[in-house]
Amino acid sequence: MAFRSIKGTKDVLPADTHRWQHIESVVRSVFQRFNYKEIRTPLFEQTALFSRSIGELTDIVGKEMYTFEDRSGDRITLRPEGTASVIRAFIQNNLAEQLPLTKVYYIGPMFRQERPQAGRLRQFHQFGAEAIGSPCAEVDAEVIAMAIEVYRTLGLRQYSLKINSVGCEKCRPLYKVKLQEELRKIAPQLSADSQRRIDENPMRVLDSKDEQDQKLTADMPLINQFLCEECSLHFSDVQRMLESFGITYTVNGRLVRGLDYYTKTAFELTSTELGSQDALAGGGRYDLLAKELGGKQTPGVGFAAGIERLLMVLEKTGYPFADSDHPQVFIAAADDPARAWTIAETMRLRGAGIAAETDLLRRSLKAQMREADRQRALHVLVVGERELVEGKAALKSMQDGTSRMIPLDAIALALTDTST
Ligand code: AMP
């Protein structure tokens, strides 16, 4: 039996890659406008990097990581997200010494063994950014604004931004105790997952997708009533700045997100164009993460966004993706004696910077013309023995059907002359 790709992974086929490239180029240009530089970290890291940062009790670490022992017995994990690796690289390479604020972005695959469904894959792709080194609310606002700018640039209108503050090491413990007290009263009625979380990670119970859990916890106290003065001020600063940027949002006191390392700001962007997996992007502040990973205490904030889900929304809303690239010229051989020349000339044109194609299957002229059409070549040049003797041939524009005679030693010039 022929091999098949692994469940939850997808090929991006040649007919679709230009869509990916377009999204990636928009992401890069937006990030560049905000002065973020690309960072590329390895696709696999020590398992402990992720379990330490994301949190042992999270779904990602508990159930979803692709972890294996390599041949030397080291525990390795395919990265399930980007932030931990970026912070590891930041610490390891002393980036803090180069700039007081490190602004980086990444684009690439992430791996989680989730149950595949529409918008949920096991190898999926994210673009994301991290700003490391500032505790100030302006960075939270900038990062949120930058995420939104990507969607705006792509013409997306149907999204909503939810924000929350999940507090800090000063105020969160008090809230946790209060929440645990309340949750213990209804523990037996909660889902098994939520019961498990009461002791270690009670805030995630509020984030449960289980309907019964949601009903039972509807009136639970929320973190925003417990924020310390610093967190409270920070949160209102973030909101004020978002308003000054013209960004609309709602505060959702139940938003905690699935990773343990967040402090203060947490946010999520969702799209009404997506089904149950409606999150486009999520992020937040992580002031304790660098220290947790063995570095100096360094505040940071970032976000990550799914490319597959963005693509789904764009396709659903009929985004006008430009066509993929077409050859500028297709050089067809009218007879066998001309073939050696058509191939050599195609190579010369490519060397001169022109996207040129020719027949590599020794087909009839008719079949070559069909091929030029299928490739949507902008021009076709038909060359046979006679044209070679005369030193000129007809260059046909496939857009308007017109032809003109051009000298065979100046094809590149003729092609650049025509406005293609
Ligand atoms: P997270 O790192 O879980 O906050 O995810 C950030 C974004 O990545 C989400 O909002 C989704 O758009 C996307 N994402 C997360 N997990 C998956 C997945 N399994 N398949 C496809 N996209 C995903």
Side-chain angles (χ1 to χ4, degrees):
M1 197 186 76
F3 287 110
R4 314 229 4 129
S5 59
I6 287 173
K7 202 168 134 192
T9 68
K10 263 193 186 158
D11 301 307
V12 179
L13 297 172
D16 296 323
T17 25
H18 69 285
R19 297 174 178 221
W20 283 74
Q21 287 166 351
H22 178 68
I23 292 177
E24 286 161 14
S25 82
V26 167
V27 167
R28 285 177 200 286
S29 77
V30 169
F31 287 0
Q32 194 220 340
R33 275 190 264 149
F34 282 75
N35 195 27
Y36 284 66
K37 302 247 177 346
E38 186 174 5
I39 182 165
R40 300 187 184 194
T41 62
L43 299 194
F44 57 90
E45 303 266 1
Q46 274 180 57
T47 300
L49 172 69
F50 300 116
S51 44
R52 179 90 65 83
S53 56
I54 299 168
E56 294 283 356
L57 294 162
T58 58
D59 282 350
I60 297 181
V61 174
K63 311 188 203 160
E64 297 168 359
M65 292 205 304
Y66 279 99
T67 296
F68 58 95
E69 227 170 66
D70 71 5
R71 282 168 201 275
S72 45
D74 292 334
R75 302 267 300 159
I76 305 285
T77 294
L78 298 184
R79 66 178 187 191
E81 59 104 45
T83 306
S85 309
V86 171
I87 299 300
R88 196 260 318 126
F90 170 85
I91 298 167
Q92 182 177 342
N93 298 287
N94 296 316
L95 296 188
E97 283 171 15
Q98 296 173 18
L99 287 170
L101 180 62
T102 302
K103 304 211 290 186
V104 291
Y105 77 88
Y106 55 83
I107 303 180
M110 305 294 162
F111 308 86
R112 294 182 199 170
Q113 194 167 0
E114 296 193 80
R115 195 169 49 77
Q117 63 181 85
R120 196 155 79 186
L121 291 139
R122 291 182 166 179
Q123 174 175 330
F124 58 99
H125 297 77
Q126 288 185 334
F127 58 90
E130 316 290 349
I132 314 158
S134 169
C136 305
E138 28 279 64
V139 191
D140 309 44
E142 176 178 279
V143 162
I144 295 173
M146 184 166 76
I148 286 182
E149 188 58 29
V150 171
Y151 300 107
R152 275 196 185 152
T153 306
L154 287 164
L156 230 89
R157 297 280 172 271
Q158 307 300 326
Y159 58 79
S160 67
L161 169 65
K162 295 184 202 89
I163 60 171
N164 192 20
S165 174
V166 295
C168 66
E169 76 277 22
K170 279 179 262 159
C171 52
R172 193 158 41 187
L174 299 173
Y175 168 65
K176 267 193 177 175
V177 170
K178 177 73 189 152
L179 182 61
Q180 276 165 334
E181 254 172 44
E182 297 296 320
L183 288 172
R184 286 201 184 104
K185 292 183 197 159
I186 53 161
Q189 290 137 273
L190 289 170
S191 68
D193 269 349
S194 288
Q195 290 188 28
R196 249 190 329 110
R197 289 187 177 126
I198 295 178
D199 284 335
E200 296 293 340
N201 203 346
M203 287 169 74
R204 293 248 16 234
V205 178
L206 301 186
D207 214 16
S208 166
K209 295 275 178 288
D210 184 286
E211 267 183 36
Q212 168 87 347
D213 286 355
Q214 285 178 3
K215 271 194 208 135
L216 287 167
T217 59
D219 298 321
M220 292 275 144
L222 297 177
I223 176 79
N224 37 22
Q225 298 141 18
F226 286 76
L227 295 180
C228 62
E229 200 185 339
E230 188 190 317
C231 286
S232 197
L233 250 176
H234 185 92
F235 195 37
S236 52
D237 279 350
V238 173
Q239 295 180 54
R240 196 168 36 76
M241 284 173 209
L242 289 178
E243 280 153 29
S244 77
F245 300 164
I247 291 173
T248 44
Y249 61 86
T250 50
V251 174
N252 181 336
R254 305 173 81 82
L255 178 73
V256 298
R257 307 203 13 83
L259 302 89
D260 274 0
Y261 52 61
Y262 288 113
T263 47
K264 294 185 176 158
T265 315
F267 69 93
E268 197 162 79
L269 269 159
T270 53
S271 167
T272 48
E273 301 292 338
L274 291 168
S276 63
Q277 301 299 313
D278 65 350
L280 280 175
R285 180 165 273 285
Y286 45 80
D287 290 348
L288 308 175
L289 181 58
K291 185 137 184 252
E292 182 67 30
L293 294 180
K296 288 205 201 87
Q297 168 129 17
T298 317
V301 51
F303 81 95
I307 297 185
E308 282 84 357
R309 291 193 196 166
L310 171 57
L311 198 56
M312 280 167 73
V313 174
L314 293 177
E315 282 168 356
K316 198 165 163 212
T317 53
Y319 181 81
F321 283 105
D323 268 352
S324 54
D325 291 338
H326 304 299
Q328 223 171 318
V329 63
F330 188 100
I331 304 195
D335 44 41
D336 280 340
R339 286 190 191 275
W341 183 89
T342 56
I343 289 174
E345 184 58 24
T346 301
M347 292 300 169
R348 273 192 293 277
L349 288 172
R350 290 169 175 167
I354 287 172
E357 183 57 297
T358 191
D359 175 48
L360 300 177
L361 294 165
R362 303 191 183 177
R363 284 171 287 191
S364 69
L365 181 59
K366 201 166 148 209
Q368 292 180 62
M369 296 307 282
R370 264 205 307 271
E371 181 64 30
D373 215 30
R374 184 160 50 212
Q375 298 281 343
R376 314 251 300 269
L378 302 178
H379 299 91
V380 179
L381 188 74
V382 181
V383 180
E385 241 182 329
R386 204 189 68 202
E387 283 78 10
L388 289 178
V389 172
E390 291 174 0
K392 54 189 181 180
L395 181 70
K396 182 176 176 194
S397 160
M398 300 297 274
Q399 285 158 319
D400 56 21
T402 58
S403 287
R404 62 195 173 101
M405 293 307 282
I406 62 159
L408 291 184
D409 57 4
I411 301 172
L413 187 69
L415 285 168
T416 40
D417 263 1
T418 54
S419 48
T420 52

